[in-house]
Amino acid sequence: MGTDTAFVMTILVLSYAVVSGLVNRWYIAPALIFVGFGMALGPFGFGVIDAGAHTQSFTILAQLALTVILFNQAAMLDVRSVVRRGHLPLRLLAIGIPLSIILGTAVALLVMPVMPLWEAVCLATIVAPTEVALIDALLEDRRIPERIRHAMSAESGCYDGFALAAMLAALALASEQADPDPGRWTWFAVRVEGVSLVVGLGIGLIGGLVLVMSHEHGWMSDTWAQLATVALALVCFAVGERLHGSGFVTAFAGGLAYSMMVRRAGAQMPSQVTDAAGQLLELTVFAMFGSYAVFVGWRDADWRVVVFAVVALLVVRLAAVSAALIGSDLPARGRLFIGWFGPRGIGTLVLGLLMIERGEIQQSAIITQAVVVTVTISLVVHSLTTPLGVRLWPIPPAHQPQTVPN
């Protein structure tokens, strides 16, 4: 990223900050706005944003953003609470995620029969993760029942970690077809999954213990406690990558361990700076995504890619959630709400980048196009339909106007 691009991105962030409250009221995903900025200011527009040669800057930023986001999502999860507060999150995780991947694979094979089986699994896994951070304004609306908001947040927090593990396993099997060395790919899968998980848990536990003790003894201010949390997430990623595993699995596991340590100590660790850092990195990624990838992806995609994206995004998600919630006490509008509002975002982008970088597969171009088309459609559709989602729920009594007796 050049100096001019960095300057323009700074101006975009400042401009958005001025109207961010209004955007929240309109339920528009900030990511959609930054994609629009990128399209207007990128090489196909005014040419003032340049992601650099070979999209290296985009890849680095996307990896940093997903690292912080995964760590934050894991750190906000309370596994005991997920189990204790109800069966909805467990149903979405245990049934909804595998079913989404299975149905997505079937759609990929049906619509694009040239795609080998394990590459179809890779594609289905890449486009499956949801990112409710893109609809924060909607989920902050108190008309949405708390258990639905909690279930969707828990699902989104775990989805990237589960999808990453499934994608890397499928990628190993798909690559094995091009490089049939079972020992090499088996060790690759074990290293990525097992080693990364163990290392992440260890770093999270040790880092969480140190940060909690320092904060409780007053050795560290709130601001530095939050900056230290960002640093801990990046340490997890760096160590995971240095061990030739997955920095993302390490970061997610580190966030879980950090969360367990903080909750066990009963500490109150501030998180505003950590959340802001994740959002800033994410929006920068979407601006760069809009500047180049949107035009190229849509230009090269044929009708099969678009059909797959639409079906995977809207039909597969609804079918998987509906099946996962069969027998639950959630009303039909609740199942419709959860099934419809499953936006795809930076998790899908980064999984696509990992597939290109680490795999030895045949249909990488088609998968790349499908990622671009799916994320773009999701940003538009879910932003435009959020007002309709709010209308599914009545205004809570506390927010209804009071009638003054005569």
Side-chain angles (χ1 to χ4, degrees):
M1 184 190 297
T3 304
D4 291 341
T5 300
F7 175 73
V8 172
M9 293 302 305
T10 303
I11 296 298
L12 290 181
V13 170
L14 179 61
S15 302
Y16 172 75
V18 173
V19 296
S20 57
L22 291 175
V23 173
N24 249 19
R25 295 177 200 170
W26 298 333
Y27 299 107
I28 299 175
L32 178 60
I33 295 175
F34 274 75
V35 168
F37 282 150
M39 294 173 67
L41 301 177
F44 295 93
F46 291 101
V48 294
I49 292 181
D50 181 12
H54 308 297
T55 66
Q56 291 178 352
S57 298
F58 178 77
T59 301
I60 292 171
L61 274 175
Q63 289 178 332
L64 289 175
L66 185 59
T67 297
V68 176
I69 290 170
L70 281 174
F71 188 93
N72 288 347
Q73 289 177 334
M76 289 187 293
L77 282 177
D78 184 351
V79 179
R80 293 180 181 178
S81 178
V82 170
V83 176
R84 184 176 61 251
R85 292 183 60 181
H87 56 278
L88 292 184
L90 295 178
R91 282 174 171 264
L92 292 174
L93 295 173
I95 302 175
I97 291 178
L99 193 55
S100 293
I101 295 174
I102 293 171
L103 293 177
T105 301
V107 172
L109 293 173
L110 181 64
V111 176
M112 296 175 286
V114 298
M115 185 167 288
L117 172 61
W118 289 113
E119 294 188 21
V121 175
C122 283
L123 175 57
T125 307
I126 289 170
V127 301
T130 61
E131 186 181 347
V132 295
L134 296 175
I135 53 170
D136 263 347
L138 175 62
L139 294 188
E140 288 172 359
D141 194 302
R142 293 302 170 183
R143 281 175 283 188
I144 313 301
E146 182 182 3
R147 67 173 183 154
I148 288 182
R149 289 187 275 117
H150 178 267
M152 294 179 69
S153 297
E155 178 199 23
S156 177
C158 294
Y159 221 140
D160 285 317
F162 289 163
L164 178 62
M167 192 274 288
L168 290 173
L171 185 61
L173 291 169
S175 299
E176 186 179 329
Q177 307 306 312
D179 182 11
D181 183 355
R184 183 166 80 91
W185 286 109
T186 300
W187 170 238
F188 168 80
V190 170
R191 185 180 67 233
V192 167
E193 308 288 348
V195 174
S196 301
L197 181 64
V198 172
V199 170
L201 290 174
I203 295 175
L205 288 173
I206 296 172
L209 177 62
V210 171
L211 295 183
V212 168
M213 289 180 60
S214 178
H215 189 261
E216 287 184 340
H217 285 82
W219 300 339
M220 181 171 55
S221 67
D222 285 351
T223 300
W224 279 103
Q226 297 178 73
L227 291 173
T229 306
V230 177
L232 184 61
L234 298 179
V235 166
C236 288
F237 176 82
V239 173
E241 292 296 309
R242 283 182 176 275
L243 294 175
H244 304 290
S246 169
F248 302 115
V249 172
T250 307
F252 186 76
L256 285 175
Y258 171 82
S259 172
M260 289 187 291
M261 184 58 64
V262 170
R263 284 183 167 84
R264 183 176 181 181
Q268 297 294 326
M269 300 291 287
S271 62
Q272 293 88 343
V273 172
T274 312
D275 295 339
Q279 290 179 29
L280 178 61
L281 289 169
E282 182 178 30
L283 294 179
T284 303
V285 168
F286 276 113
M288 297 177 72
F289 170 72
S291 71
Y292 185 80
V294 170
F295 287 100
V296 175
W298 279 91
R299 181 193 66 193
D300 297 340
D302 65 10
W303 66 269
R304 294 178 181 83
V305 173
V306 177
V307 169
F308 167 81
V310 172
V311 175
L313 181 65
L314 305 179
V315 179
V316 167
R317 167 76 181 173
L318 278 169
V321 169
S322 298
L325 298 180
I326 288 177
S328 70
D329 60 350
L330 195 66
R333 61 181 174 179
R335 295 194 292 271
L336 174 62
F337 185 92
I338 295 176
W340 181 263
F341 290 106
R344 283 19 170 227
I346 196 167
T348 294
L349 294 180
V350 173
L351 289 177
L353 289 170
L354 284 176
M355 178 274 303
I356 295 171
E357 291 180 356
R358 299 194 179 190
E360 300 172 17
I361 58 179
Q362 303 171 23
Q363 304 295 335
S364 60
I366 292 178
I367 295 178
T368 302
Q369 296 159 17
V371 167
V372 172
V373 173
T374 302
V375 172
T376 308
I377 293 176
S378 176
L379 288 174
V380 174
V381 170
H382 290 115
S383 287
L384 293 179
T385 57
T386 44
L388 300 177
V390 171
R391 292 175 187 171
L392 287 173
W393 309 98
I395 300 176
H399 295 273
Q400 291 179 353
Q402 299 295 319
T403 304
V404 179
N406 295 326

